[in-house]
Amino acid sequence: MPNIQPYTEKEFENFFPNEDKDIKEMLGLGYVPKLFRAVIAVNPSLAATSWQMVRAILCTGELPRVLKEMIFTVVANTRNCQYCSIAHQAMALRYSLGYEINQRLINDIEKIKPDSTRKILKLAVCLTQGGGSYGEATDKMLECGVAQENISEIIAMISCSNYILTLADGLMVEPDEYFYELIEGAKNL
């Protein structure tokens, strides 16, 4: 059972028209996901800060958006966050990740190719679990061709994912039906 009642899409659009437009545009969806509508119902200031972080880290930057969605999915699965796992599996599919690769994110990242992507995802698991060696993981990414200047953005994405997971888990937000539909549609292609 959800901990709080999020604003409806219409309420959100009416009360927060600027945020509504920005979130829809930056996420590339025709609606504002339930998580943002839930956070703003609890604390508008927290919602604004959280959105600005997501906007700056997930929606912009040098890394491909699909890689960021893959990182988010792996972090969500590592922490067992249903909302973020479903949401970011769906978004990765939306950004052209194949269904089979998407399933590897959930079941076996050892099978992810290329090696550089697998090393990035393993760093995400390492930092999320708080174990392993950051230095060793970074060295492995550099050896696989990940540019030094991208490492800070990768770490920011992992941090952003963990932060948003905490909000989703804490507020007990149920995944949006749209995300389930995206996954189901990709399964049938």
Side-chain angles (χ1 to χ4, degrees), residues 3 11 34 46 58 104 116 122-123 133 139-140 151 176 181 185 189:
N3 196 16
E11 288 171 333
K34 196 183 299 181
L46 176 65
L58 176 66
R104 288 183 199 138
S116 58
K122 288 176 89 169
L123 175 65
S133 166
D139 289 344
K140 287 180 181 179
I151 292 178
D176 303 66
E181 291 169 4
L189 290 180

Side-chain angles (χ1 to χ4, degrees), residues 146-165:
V146 174
Q148 177 71 45
E149 59 270 15
N150 289 337
I151 292 178
S152 62
E153 188 175 353
I154 292 165
I155 293 168
M157 189 62 235
I158 296 165
S159 298
C160 176
S161 301
N162 275 291
Y163 172 82
I164 295 299
L165 283 156

Side-chain angles (χ1 to χ4, degrees), residues 114-179:
D115 289 345
S116 58
T117 300
R118 184 175 57 256
K119 300 296 184 198
I120 290 167
L121 299 176
K122 288 176 89 169
L123 175 65
V125 171
C126 173
L127 292 180
T128 298
Q129 292 176 332
S133 166
Y134 161 76
E136 183 180 327
T138 301
D139 289 344
K140 287 180 181 179
M141 287 191 307
L142 292 170
E143 289 168 11
C144 289
V146 174
Q148 177 71 45
E149 59 270 15
N150 289 337
I151 292 178
S152 62
E153 188 175 353
I154 292 165
I155 293 168
M157 189 62 235
I158 296 165
S159 298
C160 176
S161 301
N162 275 291
Y163 172 82
I164 295 299
L165 283 156
T166 302
L167 287 176
D169 276 347
L171 296 175
M172 299 169 54
V173 179
E174 299 285 329
D176 303 66
E177 190 59 37
Y178 175 77
F179 296 136

Side-chain angles (χ1 to χ4, degrees), residues 11-180:
E11 288 171 333
F12 189 89
E13 184 177 9
N14 289 337
F15 294 144
F16 308 99
N18 294 335
E19 292 83 353
D20 182 76
K21 182 178 184 244
D22 191 41
I23 292 170
K24 286 176 181 174
E25 181 180 308
M26 294 303 293
L27 292 180
L29 300 171
Y31 77 103
V32 175
K34 196 183 299 181
L35 176 60
F36 291 107
R37 292 184 281 120
V39 175
I40 208 161
V42 172
N43 184 325
S45 179
L46 176 65
T49 302
S50 301
W51 168 244
Q52 289 308 312
M53 180 178 56
V54 169
R55 188 181 202 281
I57 297 171
L58 176 66
C59 299
T60 62
E62 296 298 315
L63 295 175
R65 178 67 182 269
V66 70
L67 177 59
K68 291 179 178 187
E69 296 295 350
M70 292 170 74
I71 291 168
F72 218 130
T73 300
V74 167
V75 171
N77 288 328
T78 301
R79 293 219 6 225
N80 296 313
C81 176
Q82 181 188 19
Y83 181 91
C84 293
S85 179
I86 296 297
H88 293 282
Q89 285 178 58
M91 292 303 289
L93 291 165
R94 192 170 187 286
Y95 281 92
S96 302
L97 185 69
Y99 182 77
E100 287 182 27
I101 297 169
N102 196 307
Q103 292 304 293
R104 288 183 199 138
L105 292 174
I106 302 162
N107 300 315
D108 190 2
I109 64 172
E110 290 299 328
K111 294 181 180 174
I112 298 289
K113 300 252 187 248
D115 289 345
S116 58
T117 300
R118 184 175 57 256
K119 300 296 184 198
I120 290 167
L121 299 176
K122 288 176 89 169
L123 175 65
V125 171
C126 173
L127 292 180
T128 298
Q129 292 176 332
S133 166
Y134 161 76
E136 183 180 327
T138 301
D139 289 344
K140 287 180 181 179
M141 287 191 307
L142 292 170
E143 289 168 11
C144 289
V146 174
Q148 177 71 45
E149 59 270 15
N150 289 337
I151 292 178
S152 62
E153 188 175 353
I154 292 165
I155 293 168
M157 189 62 235
I158 296 165
S159 298
C160 176
S161 301
N162 275 291
Y163 172 82
I164 295 299
L165 283 156
T166 302
L167 287 176
D169 276 347
L171 296 175
M172 299 169 54
V173 179
E174 299 285 329
D176 303 66
E177 190 59 37
Y178 175 77
F179 296 136
Y180 285 113

